[in-house]
């Protein structure tokens, strides 16, 4: 297979939230590569660190969160070494993010066309308002929204339209890397399917790399070329999508897949996942999944497994795959 170009190389990333009761290790020593042009699905149960990882890439971790270690190499340059001015010029232009809740990301007092003009002209003041409006109108055609809705305020649009607008704002500057954080969470299933179709369609039109964050494996299965599975702040499995759906290796991934109604696993031990994710202030020692794992062994309770290469393009953090 031809060597693929790496657009994003996350190394040993650590993001902490220091709260009254202790330190939450939201992202705990994570290594992850994203290849140019692919769609990478980042999945896991709620509070496993997906959004924190996504936001860390843009250096937008909310307070009291702090990136305390590691590297985020984008096009070979460490984003953690850039100053705020350099990050501002990268955001939107090279890397953009589609957030979960458009209502909190859009300014309720600003018309949609003004959002587009501002986004475009902040990065390129040479573009006139007229040109920016033309760009926005053409984007609305691609988003499947009538152009006259450009002059609406956010509250005048439906939830699905607002999410389309967010996608349009993320793509308007042809970002190389787009991070979509649960882009359909607040929508009903029909609108959700339309937004996923739209993302699929836009992915074919724009040469972007997409990181799609979701707790829902069913959603990610529609779009992803590869999957990265997170559990309790750690990355526990990385694999191309189809092999992972055919044969999930990490017991957590097996449990996650078995609990998705439309992705059926034959002969799996797990049907529903026992227990709940751990508290990230005092995570279990050894393998963090051990209190819930049906294959737990003595060493799992004491020693954390390394991230093991277990096949072509496949990695899993589990002692079951250690070669003796
Ligand atoms: P969800 O799907 O619910 O958004 P997630 O997988 O994206 O979950 P994160 O939101 O990244 O997970 O949260 C990871 C950990 O960091 C959780 O324990 C969460 O409670 C904690 N956390 C996230 N944001 C904050 C914050 N602003 N202050 C304190 N702790 C936070
Ligand atoms: Fe289960 Fe042990 Fe593998 Fe953890 S390391 S997932 S406890 S078998």
């Amino acid at each position: 297979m031809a060597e693929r170009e790496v657009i994003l190389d996350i190394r040993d990333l650590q993001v902490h939230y220091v709260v009254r009761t202790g330190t939450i290790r939201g992202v705990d020593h994570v290594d992850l590569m994203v290849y140019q042009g692919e769609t990478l699905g980042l999945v896991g149960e709620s509070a496993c660190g997906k959004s924190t990882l996504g936001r860390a890439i843009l250096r937008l971790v909310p307070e009291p969160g702090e990136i305390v270690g590691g590297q985020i190499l984008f096009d070979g340059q460490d984003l953690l070494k850039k100053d705020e001015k350099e990050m501002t010029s990268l955001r939107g232009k090279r890397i953009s993010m589609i957030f979960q809740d458009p209502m909190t990301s859009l300014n309720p007092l600003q018309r949609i066309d003004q959002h587009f003009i501002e986004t475009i002209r902040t990065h390129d003041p040479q573009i006139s308002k007229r040109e920016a409006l033309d760009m926005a109108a053409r984007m609305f055609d691609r988003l499947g929204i009538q152009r006259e809705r450009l002059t609406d305020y956010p509250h005048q649009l439906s939830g699905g339209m607002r999410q389309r607008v967010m996608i349009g704002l993320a793509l308007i500057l042809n970002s190389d890397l787009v991070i979509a954080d649960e882009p359909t969470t607040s929508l009903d299933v029909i609108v959700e399917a339309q937004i996923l179709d739209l993302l699929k369609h836009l992915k074919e039109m724009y040469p972007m790399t997409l990181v799609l964050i979701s707790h829902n494996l069913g959603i990610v299965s529609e779009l992803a070329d590869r999957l990265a599975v997170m559990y309790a702040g750690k990355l526990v499995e990385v694999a191309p999508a189809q092999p992972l759906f055919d044969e999930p290796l990490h017991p957590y991934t097996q449990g996650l897949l078995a609990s998705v109604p439309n992705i059926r696993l034959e002969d799996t031990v797990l049907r529903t996942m026992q227990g709940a994710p751990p508290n990230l202030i005092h995570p279990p020692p050894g393998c963090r999944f051990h209190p819930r794992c049906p294959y737990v062994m003595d060493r799992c309770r004491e020693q954390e497994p390394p991230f093991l290469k277990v096949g072509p393009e496949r990695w899993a953090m589990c002692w079951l795959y250690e070669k003796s």
Side-chain angles (χ1 to χ4, degrees), residues 250-251 287 289-290 293 295-297 300 305 317-320:
H250 196 282
C287 170
F289 189 57
H290 86 248
C293 182
Y295 309 108
V296 61
M297 303 169 278
C300 305
M317 192 191 222
C318 173
W319 287 122
L320 291 174

Side-chain angles (χ1 to χ4, degrees), residues 137-149:
R138 285 197 298 276
M139 177 55 82
F140 257 43
D141 295 343
R142 288 178 201 142
L143 297 172
I145 312 178
Q146 293 164 317
R147 289 182 176 203
E148 50 266 33
R149 305 302 297 265

